[in-house]
Amino acid sequence: MGFFIVEPEVAGELGPRTVFDRAGHTLAVTRLEYQFFGWLGDPIVESTPCFIVTEELSAAITAAGLTGATFDEVEVSVSPEGEEFIEGPLPPWKWLRFTGEASHDDLGLNDGLRLVVSERALGVLREHGLSNAEVAEASG
Amino acid sequence: MNGSVGELLAQLLQLIEQLPAAVVLQNKSDALAAADELAEAWRSTGDASATEVVGFIHQAVDQLEDIVERLAGAGDLVSVYIQRILAFRVANVGEVAQRLRAALHGIRPEELMTTAARLREDLVVLRAAAVESNQPDLQEAFELLANVPDELEAAAVLYIQARSGTEHYIRRHSRAGVLPDAAKPSGTKASPRTGEPARFGWTTSTNYRKTFFDAHPHTEGKVVVHHAVEQQVLQRYPDVVQPEEMHSLENLRGIPRGETNNKVHLSALRRAWNAFYLPFTINNAAPTAQQLLDFATMLDDQYGSSFNPNIREK
């Protein structure tokens, strides 16, 4: 089964109410505020090391039975810059958390903090729009 | 045993000598080849910005050169360690040297971080063995190796930065085939900062839009105020940049409103910053303020001609 590295649109920044865990070897986030600065419209966006998806996409991932992911609450805000550039209200979002293994489960985060998805998962993402992401075949 | 140890030592020293050149030259060659290819493509279209593009990539490649120093430092430490081990003639010297050699064998830039982590774990085991041997000099020898994982990680951060910066630049522009069609800034183009590297000033006001429009009143209503070094740096890396620096006029840029190109440019800026943060996030490390400013300068070079006031010549 083929796997792909997906680099989603970066629509914003980690907001001031984000809480970090700095104790580990890798910087982690325990509470997420995703602050939108602009949005080109994709249903999955990131700000390393966090990924968020629209509720609609999260439901589709669950319905498809894709492995390796769970969903958590995210606080979404819009910066003054975002208010200028984003047209219309934002949809509701969920924090995409990873529970599986990259290149094994349908969704995973590799050691380089890149999103690795199976062909099936890529199909689900593309079905909901992946116009502004960069997708490449995962090596190895 | 002396023979096998001597062989290992020779191999190890040879590997260390070759290591920096192999790591740097291979990627330098890749990057310069890409730069030349782009330059040739753009020259044929008569695009005068080709020189600027090549300059950018060369700047990224120069960053790779710093890896030489770090790996050479690691190599020096390993050499010292090997010499001391030889002096002891301890029974497991061959195994120890073999493990160390394995840790560095075939090292590739993409694996610098992994190698550093593996070596760090090995050092815990080796230090414990040294303590058991009850030989202070042997313990001291291992202590000399303590910095090697840090050196490798520092090299990895530099490598990833240079690589991702170059890759993103090439990807952005090769997709469109030409340099972005920068939006024409409205109002006066006069700016005291044209061509200057990014820097911070100091302000006690957090009302950055007022700070910007007080300085550039002609742009009010025409631009969106954007931070060159992103605001999230305050959260990601506490104390590296002060809020008084973040919101200073020197760190603010005016992005013309209502131009589709600028939404795309801002998205590209955010993606570039995201790539910049990545190695620091992986390594739970923080960039210096100067590294942040250097990256902001790189992005100003790329997009500054479309800002208002514009800070780069078209």
Side-chain angles (χ1 to χ4, degrees), chain A residues 48 109-116, chain B residues 160 278-279 281-282:
Chain A
T48 187
L109 206 57
N110 69 11
D111 290 343
L113 301 181
R114 302 283 193 193
L115 173 61
V116 182
Chain B
I160 295 170
L278 199 57
T281 307
I282 292 168

Side-chain angles (χ1 to χ4, degrees), chain A residues 56-136:
Chain A
E56 189 182 335
L57 178 56
S58 74
I61 289 171
T62 305
L66 299 180
T67 63
T70 185
F71 300 98
D72 215 337
E73 294 306 312
V74 53
E75 179 184 344
V76 167
S77 59
V78 180
S79 72
E81 189 175 319
E83 284 170 5
E84 296 274 355
F85 284 112
I86 298 173
E87 295 160 10
L90 287 168
W93 295 82
K94 289 286 186 185
W95 184 0
L96 176 62
R97 311 291 296 263
F98 301 97
T99 56
E101 192 184 330
S103 298
H104 177 76
D105 288 284
D106 289 312
L107 295 146
L109 206 57
N110 69 11
D111 290 343
L113 301 181
R114 302 283 193 193
L115 173 61
V116 182
V117 304
S118 67
E119 205 167 340
R120 201 159 70 92
L122 184 61
V124 173
L125 296 181
R126 281 191 165 141
E127 208 173 287
H128 287 75
L130 211 54
S131 309
N132 299 288
E134 291 175 2
V135 180

Side-chain angles (χ1 to χ4, degrees), chain B residues 9-313:
Chain B
L9 175 60
Q11 286 174 19
L12 187 59
L13 292 177
Q14 189 182 10
L15 178 70
I16 291 163
E17 279 175 13
Q18 291 171 351
L19 191 59
V23 168
V24 174
L25 290 179
Q26 180 191 336
N27 294 285
K28 187 172 184 174
S29 168
D30 287 350
L32 291 178
D36 290 344
E37 195 179 321
L38 285 167
E40 189 55 39
W42 285 327
R43 267 189 208 107
S44 65
T45 66
D47 189 329
S49 299
T51 307
E52 186 189 352
V53 175
V54 176
F56 172 84
I57 296 173
H58 279 256
Q59 186 185 337
V61 170
D62 285 346
Q63 207 170 358
L64 283 170
E65 302 275 10
D66 287 349
I67 295 175
V68 175
E69 282 184 31
R70 281 167 171 73
L71 288 177
D76 288 347
L77 289 172
V78 173
S79 300
V80 171
Y81 153 74
I82 287 291
Q83 296 290 1
R84 293 200 176 204
I85 287 291
L86 276 176
F88 283 113
R89 302 284 193 272
V90 292
N92 64 344
V93 63
E95 185 191 338
V96 171
Q98 184 69 47
R99 288 181 64 172
L100 192 60
R101 193 170 77 91
L104 292 171
H105 178 69
I107 196 167
R108 291 188 301 176
E110 291 84 358
E111 294 169 351
L112 283 170
M113 203 71 87
T114 313
T115 303
R118 196 185 309 137
L119 190 56
R120 183 171 279 121
E121 286 172 11
D122 273 356
L123 279 174
V124 172
V125 176
L126 293 172
R127 276 174 176 160
V131 169
E132 273 187 31
S133 76
N134 203 25
Q135 296 190 64
D137 283 356
L138 185 56
Q139 292 171 36
E140 189 186 335
F142 283 123
E143 287 307 317
L144 288 172
L145 272 177
N147 289 335
V148 174
D150 291 341
E151 295 285 331
L152 290 174
E153 282 179 356
V157 169
L158 274 175
Y159 166 75
I160 295 170
Q161 268 182 261
R163 182 95 180 184
S164 68
T166 305
E167 282 177 353
H168 272 274
Y169 193 87
I170 292 169
R171 203 182 299 157
R172 288 260 81 79
H173 296 311
S174 59
R175 178 182 288 174
V178 295
L179 284 174
D181 181 18
K184 292 187 176 72
S186 53
T188 176
K189 290 185 179 180
S191 169
R193 292 175 292 139
T194 300
E196 286 183 359
R199 62 190 170 93
F200 294 122
W202 188 267
T203 180
T204 53
S205 171
T206 55
N207 189 347
Y208 60 86
R209 286 192 286 183
K210 182 174 187 307
T211 299
F212 186 85
F213 291 130
D214 281 351
H216 304 289
H218 59 283
T219 66
E220 192 155 7
K222 296 176 183 171
V223 304
V224 176
V225 182
H226 169 79
H227 289 74
V229 172
E230 292 186 322
Q231 294 181 74
Q232 63 177 322
V233 161
L234 296 174
Q235 281 84 247
R236 285 181 179 272
Y237 315 114
D239 302 327
V240 173
V241 177
Q242 301 305 311
E244 291 85 351
E245 296 172 307
M246 176 60 68
H247 302 306
S248 65
L249 179 62
E250 288 81 349
N251 191 43
L252 302 176
R253 308 286 183 267
I255 311 294
R257 298 165 74 171
E259 307 221 21
T260 307
N261 271 351
N262 289 324
K263 283 172 77 171
V264 177
H265 289 177
L266 283 167
S267 179
L269 289 170
R270 287 192 295 271
R271 188 183 283 280
W273 275 112
N274 201 61
F276 174 86
Y277 302 137
L278 199 57
F280 296 102
T281 307
I282 292 168
N283 202 31
N284 199 1
T288 64
Q290 191 56 52
Q291 283 175 306
L292 291 163
L293 288 170
D294 288 346
F295 199 74
T297 299
M298 201 168 73
L299 296 176
D300 280 347
D301 289 344
Q302 197 171 343
Y303 295 102
S305 65
S306 67
F307 297 163
N308 182 13
N310 67 335
I311 55 171
R312 293 293 185 275
E313 298 297 334

